[in-house]
Amino acid sequence: MRDRVSWTLVLAAFLALPPFQRERVDEMGFGQIFRIERMRVDPALTQALRSRWDTKASAFAFPWGHMIPSLEDVSRITGLRVYGRAVSGYTYPCYQDLAERLLDLPVERRSSLVPRVALQESLGLFEAGKNAGETEDEYLERLARVSRRELASEPGPQADLDLRRFLVLFLGRLLFATRGDAVHCRFLPLLADLGEVGGYAWGAAFLAHQFDGLSASEQQTSTSGFYPFLQVWAYLHLPALRRGELTRPGLVPITRRWDSRRDTRHLADQLEHLQEAIDSYPYLDVVWQPYLGEGDEGQPWLVQARPYFGRSVWLHALNLVLPLNIFLTQRSLGFRQSVVEFPIRDRFRRPGRSFRGLHDTTDWRERAREQVENWERKSKGVRSYALKYGEKVYKSTRHQVDVTGEIASLRALLQSAVQDREAAQRQTAELWRELERVRGAGAGGASSSRSAGGSPSLMEARLAGAVLRAEEAQRHLEERERDLELAHEQAITLQSERDQLRVRAEAAEAQVAEMTRELATLRVQRPPGDQEEVIRLRAELLAQQTLARSLQQIVTDIGRSHSRSRSGVSVSRATGASVGQYLAGSSSRRRNEEEERRRQGEGSAHEGRGGGEMLPPPDRREGSGESGGGQ
């Protein structure tokens, strides 16, 4: 209920703003949120999703595989901008001076929280309680009417102060809401220059906040933040749960189309029913790509957001720096999804959620420089599942990779990529023919386009845009096909090298076993003067053991998931080069070691003959077959 009340208060404050202020909020990229109808909270659905959250992988772990909310989900469902500068900057141990200067509101010493009541009253929301018998619309209208009296109606310093207070309320009580009654000031430094607020990727920060909330204690019954996001995400991807109603199709952002179904059962009963429904959910009813039929009409924020779609990047929300592992859910990108064992991803450690002046002033752009640069470079383009996880990820290096299975998988992916590329070529050619037909009709004064619902120029512009998108998709598919061909060739090369090394390793192990038996026989049956032969055999045995272990280690290393090189091509070349160098140098090293041991053995033998007592073996290594001193 608190989430719905917060939304009502923030919406009332927005409606109370004069038109020029609302235009500023629109320019900042927040306007679409306030066009969304207030939705009924569904805590049972939220809790059921939370129980499926895999904190290590930062994704939902369902019986059919991993799924994860993406930047495209944020952009289409909420209308927030997911492009621009990373939401990063300074955090302070105390926001008292900053709040007094930018908000003209009191903040306790050594605190980062603004009292909610003081903030609401500064916006004219004095009587926030709902009256008896008052409908939701009447309640909202009354709050907006009272608030409007307190806000500046003309641009100026007071209007900037009003807008900054509204943004703190909006960010702290709706978009990045936390548990408790106070409102956090952590985003206040980014609001100092109101002209720069729209340049930040607030949608990406919102997604980081969602991930952080899902990773919190399972005892919480709801997630903090803008709750309709997760609910609509579930409506789109898991429609068979039947928790939402599509009442206004065609509206954008997509949240405006949905209402939450009313469920009168007890919360515990709802949660139990949902858990069972997810466990038995029909896999074919999972919607991996809900936006395939969606266009971009009426959604200008999607144009600049597209370079960030389908990419694994670091998400930033000041002290929150979390990974978006989009490659863990390849089926949502149209690729095959395999079962993968994921390691713990803790390359970047951050402070805990308790964030109330307990740390020093921190520049997160400096502390998380690598992750900020990753965001600014838009990470890397979408690669195939095989290139990223084709060799699989294991927590232990003792596991070996099924290279044969990966070759078959890559071959299937390559065939699929060829079919996709050919289909894209046919679609592009068809669009070009249609575009030429419309151009010819426009030049000849034909009215077929007008009869279809638009002028020839408008139809031509739409077709030209469709052609450009189709050509871009075709180029992407051609690049994907080249990458898969390269990965396929690399996997075959690795398999060949691995087979050769395995044969050598098995031969070396057999020779070690034979020499161990021979050495043991000589130790029992040898004449008194055969110490030199024993030392020679011991040296040869040690060399063969070293060779066998090294070969076995190389066989194990080939195909491991995390290589030292970033590209698959360099992995193959580097592995092949290291194997070649080792094999080329192993024989000469072995001869040198044997020669050195022989010289040492000769000296030991002479001393043994002269003294009448043979010294114990110079080296006792585990697995060598030696038992101690000679007799």
Side-chain angles (χ1 to χ4, degrees):
M1 182 61 69
R2 178 182 295 176
D3 295 333
R4 187 174 178 88
V5 170
S6 297
W7 193 355
T8 301
L9 291 174
V10 175
L11 181 57
F14 173 77
L15 295 176
L17 292 173
F20 77 92
Q21 293 278 56
R22 275 181 269 173
E23 289 178 5
R24 297 173 75 181
V25 174
D26 244 339
E27 292 171 358
M28 294 174 182
F30 301 133
Q32 296 301 323
I33 288 284
F34 300 105
R35 292 177 175 85
I36 297 173
E37 297 288 333
R38 288 162 292 163
M39 182 179 292
R40 185 180 299 108
V41 185
D42 192 344
L45 178 60
T46 302
Q47 183 67 5
L49 292 175
R50 177 196 290 279
S51 66
R52 304 289 173 153
W53 185 254
D54 184 346
T55 303
K56 295 179 181 179
S58 293
F60 292 114
F62 292 116
W64 52 87
H66 281 81
M67 300 183 77
I68 186 172
S70 67
L71 291 174
E72 183 173 9
D73 291 320
V74 173
S75 188
R76 287 191 178 274
I77 292 175
T78 69
L80 288 170
R81 294 176 181 174
V82 298
Y83 57 88
R85 298 191 300 277
V87 179
S88 186
Y90 286 93
T91 54
Y92 302 96
C94 178
Y95 288 79
Q96 183 182 39
D97 296 338
L98 198 62
E100 290 178 353
R101 178 169 57 88
L102 296 179
L103 300 178
D104 193 21
L105 291 174
V107 172
E108 294 182 5
R109 190 68 184 166
R110 299 294 297 173
S111 175
S112 56
L113 304 174
V114 176
R116 177 184 58 82
V117 175
L119 180 60
Q120 289 178 188
E121 290 181 350
S122 70
L123 293 169
L125 299 172
F126 295 102
E127 299 178 4
K130 187 178 179 181
N131 297 331
E134 196 173 32
T135 65
E136 286 290 336
D137 291 338
E138 292 172 346
Y139 175 47
L140 180 64
E141 184 181 353
R142 175 174 60 82
L143 290 176
R145 183 175 62 252
V146 174
S147 176
R148 193 174 294 116
R149 301 170 186 166
E150 303 295 325
L151 302 179
S153 59
E154 298 293 336
Q158 183 60 41
D160 290 345
L161 185 64
D162 292 341
L163 183 56
R164 205 172 281 116
R165 289 170 174 171
F166 166 76
L167 291 175
V168 169
L169 181 69
F170 165 64
L171 297 176
R173 296 296 296 170
L174 185 64
L175 207 57
F176 301 96
T178 55
R179 301 184 72 187
D181 199 48
V183 182
H184 209 292
C185 290
R186 64 184 181 275
F187 294 113
L188 190 54
L190 303 183
L191 306 180
D193 186 352
L194 292 172
E196 296 294 322
V197 174
Y200 291 101
W202 293 103
F206 166 76
L207 190 57
H209 182 75
Q210 288 287 312
F211 288 173
D212 185 62
L214 288 166
S215 301
S217 172
E218 292 186 2
Q219 295 178 357
Q220 297 183 24
T221 58
S222 63
T223 57
S224 56
F226 187 62
Y227 65 88
F229 172 71
L230 276 182
Q231 293 182 197
V232 175
W233 184 88
Y235 302 160
L236 294 171
H237 291 81
L238 308 175
L241 293 180
R242 302 187 183 281
R243 300 298 290 187
E245 292 180 330
L246 183 62
T247 57
R248 295 172 294 273
L251 296 181
V252 293
I254 289 178
T255 305
R256 298 179 64 190
R257 305 175 185 179
W258 292 88
D259 280 333
S260 177
R261 287 179 184 264
R262 185 179 295 275
D263 194 334
T264 58
R265 291 174 295 180
H266 190 273
L267 177 61
D269 295 335
Q270 294 184 47
L271 181 58
E272 182 180 1
H273 172 76
L274 280 172
Q275 296 284 19
E276 294 176 355
I278 292 175
D279 288 338
S280 59
Y281 195 91
Y283 295 0
L284 294 179
D285 288 346
V286 176
V287 180
W288 290 92
Q289 297 173 286
Y291 312 118
L292 284 179
E294 289 285 337
D296 296 350
E297 292 79 6
Q299 304 173 86
W301 58 88
L302 288 177
V303 178
Q304 291 176 274
R306 285 193 176 281
Y308 292 93
F309 293 169
R311 304 198 177 201
S312 290
V313 295
W314 288 89
L315 305 174
H316 300 263
L318 293 180
N319 69 314
L320 289 179
V321 184
L322 302 175
L324 171 62
N325 299 314
I326 195 69
F327 287 105
L328 304 188
T329 56
Q330 287 292 302
R331 286 183 63 183
S332 61
L333 298 176
F335 300 143
R336 180 182 67 88
Q337 185 183 40
S338 295
V339 178
V340 180
E341 187 179 0
F342 305 108
I344 297 175
R345 291 174 171 79
D346 56 354
R347 287 199 302 136
F348 182 82
R349 295 185 178 274
R350 63 173 182 81
R353 294 179 187 83
S354 182
F355 187 122
R356 301 192 179 190
L358 301 181
H359 57 276
D360 296 329
T361 298
T362 304
D363 182 1
W364 292 95
R365 284 191 168 274
E366 182 62 29
R367 180 167 176 175
R369 179 187 301 177
E370 179 185 352
Q371 289 76 23
V372 172
E373 291 176 352
N374 167 271
W375 172 263
E376 292 174 347
R377 293 195 304 266
K378 304 180 182 67
S379 185
K380 297 179 180 179
V382 176
R383 311 283 286 186
S384 71
Y385 181 92
L387 287 177
K388 186 70 176 179
Y389 290 103
E391 296 173 354
K392 300 201 174 181
V393 182
Y394 290 96
K395 294 179 182 178
S396 171
T397 58
R398 292 175 296 176
H399 292 78
Q400 294 188 11
V401 177
D402 180 14
V403 180
T404 303
E406 291 304 325
I407 291 176
S409 173
L410 284 170
R411 190 177 295 115
L413 280 173
L414 179 58
Q415 182 179 2
S416 175
V418 171
Q419 294 174 352
D420 291 344
R421 190 252 304 159
E422 292 175 349
Q425 286 179 339
R426 291 193 297 270
Q427 184 179 11
T428 303
E430 183 178 349
L431 286 170
W432 269 113
R433 288 193 297 271
E434 182 65 17
L435 179 60
E436 293 298 330
R437 186 188 66 78
V438 171
R439 286 175 176 171
S447 59
S448 59
S449 296
R450 283 190 293 272
S451 63
S455 64
S457 59
L458 179 59
M459 182 67 71
E460 182 179 339
R462 290 179 177 176
L463 282 172
V467 166
L468 290 177
R469 288 193 296 271
E471 290 178 341
E472 181 182 359
Q474 182 178 336
R475 286 192 298 270
H476 168 70
L477 290 170
E478 289 172 353
E479 179 184 355
R480 176 188 172 199
E481 183 181 346
R482 289 193 297 270
D483 290 342
L484 286 171
E485 289 175 349
L486 181 62
H488 185 256
E489 294 172 0
Q490 173 198 351
I492 293 176
T493 303
L494 286 176
Q495 176 73 346
S496 176
E497 293 176 356
R498 192 173 175 181
D499 291 342
Q500 295 174 10
L501 287 169
R502 184 179 289 109
V503 171
R504 290 179 62 90
E506 291 173 354
E509 289 174 354
Q511 191 171 359
V512 166
E514 179 64 27
M515 293 179 68
T516 300
R517 289 192 296 270
E518 185 178 350
L519 183 60
T521 302
L522 281 174
R523 179 169 292 159
V524 176
Q525 301 177 354
R526 71 179 182 277
D530 282 347
Q531 175 65 14
E532 181 178 349
E533 181 66 13
V534 172
I535 294 175
R536 185 189 68 77
L537 284 173
R538 184 186 297 118
E540 182 68 21
L541 176 62
L542 294 176
Q544 288 295 332
Q545 286 177 331
T546 302
L547 174 62
R549 282 194 297 267
S550 300
L551 288 172
Q552 188 59 45
Q553 183 62 38
I554 293 175
V555 170
T556 302
D557 288 342
I558 290 180
R560 280 184 183 164
S561 59
H562 287 300
S563 64
R564 296 179 181 177
S565 174
R566 293 185 178 180
S567 72
V569 180
S570 60
V571 168
S572 177
R573 291 175 180 171
T575 306
S578 62
V579 171
Q581 291 170 4
Y582 176 81
L583 294 178
S586 60
S587 299
S588 59
R589 282 199 301 273
R590 186 167 65 253
R591 286 196 299 272
N592 293 338
E593 292 170 357
E594 292 174 1
E595 201 62 40
E596 180 65 24
R597 289 194 175 93
R598 184 175 290 114
R599 284 197 298 270
Q600 295 177 359
E602 288 174 357
S604 300
H606 290 311
E607 291 175 4
R609 294 189 188 100
E613 182 180 1
M614 185 169 68
L615 297 176
D619 190 7
R620 298 187 184 94
R621 295 192 181 183
E622 182 181 356
S624 65
E626 301 176 10
S627 58
Q631 297 292 330

